Amino acid sequence: GKYKDAQVITQRVHSKRKSILGETHPETFESLHNIAVVLNKKGNFKDAEPLYRRAFDGRKQVLGEEHPDTLSSMSYYAYCVERRRYREKRPVQVRVLKRMMQFLPRKTCG
């Protein structure tokens, strides 16, 4: 669908920027960040997380820690980490709740 197309396009843009502008150019980090955004939108937090991290680290080094682009990458990275952890924890939490429900006394109406 549209995210698959977006992923192909953002990867192509990143590859071109990297070869033309260099690996440490701010626009190269922007395109890396954009790939992570697409992966994140697809729910692929595991693959998005290291890309967000690389974009954040690169932007911090090149632009500085207080630059709006750096802060944006930091925010997206933190959100992605939280979403991945939630997704990993949720099945365990559901199992625990189901087991706990087995031991709770059942109330009857009336």
Side-chain angles (χ1 to χ4, degrees), residues 1-11 34-35 37-39 41-42:
K2 66 181 180 177
Y3 289 127
K4 186 174 184 175
D5 294 341
Q7 185 176 348
V8 169
I9 292 167
T10 55
Q11 287 173 328
N34 290 340
I35 294 169
V37 168
V38 171
L39 292 170
K41 293 281 187 185
K42 290 171 63 176

Side-chain angles (χ1 to χ4, degrees), residues 7-106:
Q7 185 176 348
V8 169
I9 292 167
T10 55
Q11 287 173 328
R12 199 174 298 151
V13 168
H14 177 68
S15 178
K16 292 280 187 193
R17 284 181 176 177
K18 190 174 170 182
S19 67
I20 294 170
L21 301 173
E23 202 165 321
T24 60
H25 193 279
E27 289 185 33
T28 304
F29 291 124
E30 177 187 9
S31 59
L32 185 63
H33 176 89
N34 290 340
I35 294 169
V37 168
V38 171
L39 292 170
N40 190 40
K41 293 281 187 185
K42 290 171 63 176
N44 189 346
F45 307 119
K46 183 182 175 193
D47 290 340
E49 185 180 327
L51 298 182
Y52 278 133
R53 182 65 198 214
R54 282 178 35 210
F56 165 61
D57 288 342
R59 283 174 161 179
K60 185 167 82 171
Q61 185 177 19
V62 173
L63 301 172
E65 198 166 341
E66 303 301 319
H67 191 279
D69 290 346
T70 304
L71 296 173
S72 175
S73 283
M74 183 175 16
S75 174
Y76 275 86
Y77 172 66
Y79 173 78
C80 184
V81 168
E82 186 61 33
R83 292 294 300 164
R84 182 185 54 77
R85 288 183 182 155
Y86 170 77
R87 182 175 271 177
E88 290 172 356
K89 289 188 309 188
R90 189 169 190 289
V92 174
Q93 291 170 334
V94 168
R95 280 198 317 267
V96 169
L97 286 174
K98 284 181 179 178
R99 296 249 170 124
M100 289 176 70
M101 295 291 289
Q102 292 174 347
F103 297 104
L104 292 176
R106 297 187 185 225

